[in-house]
Amino acid sequence: MSPASSGAHDREEGLAFQPKFGADGLATCVTIDAGRGEVLMVAHMNAEALAATLATGVVHYWSRSRGALWRKGDTSGQTQRLIEMRVDCDQDAFLAFVAVGGDGGACHTGRRSCFYRRIETGPAGPRLTFVGTTGSG
Amino acid sequence: MSPASSGAHDREEGLAFQPKFGADGLATCVTIDAGRGEVLMVAHMNAEALAATLATGVVHYWSRSRGALWRKGDTSGQTQRLIEMRVDCDQDAFLAFVAVGGDGGACHTGRRSCFYRRIETGPAGPRLTFVGTTGSG
């Protein structure tokens, strides 16, 4: 086995945490409501956000729009307490299972999940339809 | 309302499908087993992969490692039939709910889900632990 494939094998089958960030320093985090099992949002973490999340048990992201570390909930009250975190085979994506504080929402539009529209196909091309993932209130 | 904020409002609250790809031409797709509700994988789509997915009902990705359109399952038999597709608030991430063909797996390691390891924190730093998402066989 070549050193390169040995490295890939270790990353996929080993127990060492070796997170892999892209050229922009970011990795994808998919955040799931630990109670409902519902995907709430997709956001990004850099090494600092990941380390802060694991150290504090409160989910931090990297805000690409603001170019800043973002502890989710600081403004909205919609904090995300980390219940469990997983990493994928090549260690460049994370799943965060969370308990949401505040009103239970995650989306800045006020909805519980950011994925509140379904894509419908038809002769005129794809269109969106709202689905029933309303706020928790 | 400024044209810019009007555009953002339409993107978030409208019914027009306006997918937003990054500077690299890619958007994130989170793929979920429609029956089990389990996150199987995180991958990328470019405009071509997205269009092919919606046109055929079979999930296509963009393989960053191969630099090519990738109809999942062509080699492995682990095809993904699209049941429902959602888009997030700012239309730069997708959820694909799928029915998996072949042996029911999605990960190239042979496991059903790519997220088969949990991150554990401890005094020596983060380590990984395998979790019980074994193959479907």
Side-chain angles (χ1 to χ4, degrees):
Chain A
M1 187 179 281
S2 73
S5 64
S6 166
H9 183 267
D10 286 353
R11 185 181 289 275
E12 294 179 352
E13 298 298 335
L15 298 179
F17 184 43
Q18 302 174 290
K20 195 163 71 175
F21 299 96
D24 55 4
L26 303 177
T28 301
C29 180
V30 179
T31 305
I32 297 178
D33 185 305
R36 296 170 177 266
E38 179 187 23
V39 174
L40 296 173
M41 58 187 285
V42 170
H44 296 84
M45 290 185 175
N46 63 359
E48 184 186 5
L50 174 64
T53 298
L54 294 175
T56 65
V58 176
V59 180
H60 293 62
Y61 302 101
W62 178 257
S63 168
R64 292 184 298 177
S65 57
R66 285 182 280 128
L69 187 68
W70 166 34
R71 187 171 64 182
K72 173 79 176 162
D74 271 357
T75 306
S76 64
Q78 296 170 341
T79 52
Q80 296 180 340
R81 185 165 57 83
L82 187 67
I83 305 295
E84 180 176 322
M85 194 149 186
R86 296 195 188 180
V87 66
D88 77 345
C89 45
D90 58 356
Q91 302 204 31
D92 69 353
F94 311 112
L95 283 191
F97 293 88
V98 304
V100 183
D103 64 4
C107 184
H108 75 286
T109 66
R111 297 173 178 90
R112 197 172 65 232
S113 165
C114 295
F115 292 91
Y116 50 84
R117 287 172 298 180
R118 182 171 56 222
I119 306 171
E120 304 276 7
T121 55
R127 294 280 295 171
L128 303 180
T129 303
F130 284 88
V131 291
T133 170
T134 55
S136 57
Chain B
M1 190 179 279
S2 73
S5 62
S6 167
H9 184 269
D10 286 353
R11 186 180 289 274
E12 295 178 351
E13 300 297 335
L15 297 180
F17 184 42
Q18 302 174 290
K20 196 163 71 175
F21 299 96
D24 55 4
L26 302 177
T28 301
C29 180
V30 179
T31 305
I32 297 178
D33 185 305
R36 299 170 175 265
E38 179 187 22
V39 173
L40 297 174
M41 57 185 287
V42 170
H44 296 84
M45 290 185 176
N46 63 358
E48 183 185 5
L50 174 64
T53 299
L54 294 175
T56 65
V58 177
V59 180
H60 293 61
Y61 301 101
W62 178 256
S63 168
R64 291 184 298 176
S65 57
R66 285 182 279 129
L69 187 68
W70 166 35
R71 186 170 66 181
K72 172 79 176 161
D74 270 358
T75 306
S76 65
Q78 296 170 342
T79 53
Q80 297 180 341
R81 186 166 56 82
L82 186 67
I83 306 295
E84 180 175 323
M85 195 149 183
R86 295 195 188 181
V87 65
D88 76 345
C89 44
D90 58 356
Q91 301 203 33
D92 69 353
F94 311 111
L95 283 192
F97 292 88
V98 304
V100 182
D103 63 3
C107 184
H108 74 286
T109 67
R111 296 174 179 89
R112 196 171 66 235
S113 165
C114 295
F115 292 92
Y116 51 84
R117 288 172 298 181
R118 182 171 57 223
I119 306 171
E120 303 276 7
T121 55
R127 295 280 294 172
L128 303 180
T129 303
F130 285 88
V131 292
T133 170
T134 54
S136 57

